[in-house]
Amino acid sequence: MLMLRKTHDCKPTMTDQEVIDFCKNGYVMLKQIVPDQLNQKTMAYLDEHPEGEPQGILNEEWFVDAVIKNPRVSGVVRSLLGENFKLPVIMSNHRVSCPRQWPGGWHRDGGAIDSPRLETLQVFYYPQDTPCVLGPTQLIPGTHMLHAKRRFMSHYGAVRSAVSSEASAGSIFITHYGIWHRATTATGTGIRNLLKYNYWRTASPVRDWITETEPDFTQMDFSPFGGALDKHFAVQVARQFMWLCGYGEGFDFKGGQSWPMTAGAGCQSTEGLPAQLARMAGK
């Protein structure tokens, strides 16, 4: 029987810069945050329930407290999805018998939408040590901003800017649902488990994470990290950050060298910056 879609609330733990970094990268990695005793208990449960969707684990209070409501995870989810976010209702396990001689194709999962809105987060939990030889998931930072259909993505091979999610037991990584990812080749032996689940927004977006002063939006750097993406993606990063702050309706990129293309470059220009934000910055 499926668990009802319950909600959870806690204090946010991210700052403005950390939220911007998530908008740039599309993921947050939290390493070794689940205690070993709980990782081992999870592994024992998965050995008893080796199916691809071990739904019953969502009804185990020890698992919900240690993993689903883990304070480190919850603080990030609360920062990005707002108060009273919905908890997972489906649990998937990418359980693989290693070795596996081929990588998966690049893809984003079904149901991904092209929008500055951030309504859901996809989360992955490694209950066991998962080095490269066990074929951890690869991600390409920033690709949640690339609007491409799956059939146009899967033929790509190695990508220079891809990052591996290899991590020790108890690690959890939180992702934008639309980020490009794939399974990798596994040269080791044994069983690898990777649990995957979602959280959803219930609240309207508002800048209520950790804040100290009103920000100067003209000096924020929205340029994506790495060399894989063009600086023009700064516009999409800024658009999503503005939406998360609750200013999505006022975002109106003017083109050319208007804000946010000039943001973080030492330029005080407010051309293209919503009037309300310009006033907040004292411009």
Side-chain angles (χ1 to χ4, degrees), residues 33-73:
I33 61 171
V34 179
D36 287 340
Q37 180 181 2
L38 276 302
N39 294 322
Q40 293 167 15
K41 194 169 183 177
T42 300
M43 290 291 289
Y45 185 97
L46 297 177
D47 286 341
E48 293 179 5
H49 303 83
E51 59 267 24
E53 291 189 350
Q55 299 294 76
I57 201 168
L58 289 173
N59 295 315
E60 298 289 340
E61 186 175 354
W62 58 267
F63 180 82
V64 172
D65 289 341
V67 179
I68 302 301
K69 295 182 180 179
N70 182 285
R72 293 281 303 281
V73 173

Side-chain angles (χ1 to χ4, degrees), residues 38-132:
L38 276 302
N39 294 322
Q40 293 167 15
K41 194 169 183 177
T42 300
M43 290 291 289
Y45 185 97
L46 297 177
D47 286 341
E48 293 179 5
H49 303 83
E51 59 267 24
E53 291 189 350
Q55 299 294 76
I57 201 168
L58 289 173
N59 295 315
E60 298 289 340
E61 186 175 354
W62 58 267
F63 180 82
V64 172
D65 289 341
V67 179
I68 302 301
K69 295 182 180 179
N70 182 285
R72 293 281 303 281
V73 173
S74 294
V76 173
V77 175
R78 167 65 178 81
S79 301
L80 297 171
L81 295 185
E83 62 185 6
N84 296 318
F85 55 87
K86 291 181 180 179
L87 299 177
V89 294
I90 296 177
M91 177 61 65
S92 299
N93 185 14
H94 293 329
R95 185 177 173 94
V96 175
S97 179
C98 303
R100 181 182 56 208
Q101 298 303 321
W102 60 89
W106 292 109
H107 67 282
R108 55 180 186 169
D109 288 352
I113 61 174
D114 297 329
S115 170
R117 307 195 316 268
L118 185 63
E119 304 283 4
T120 185
L121 294 169
Q122 182 147 272
V123 180
F124 300 80
Y125 161 48
Y126 285 128
Q128 66 192 99
D129 290 342
T130 308
C132 284

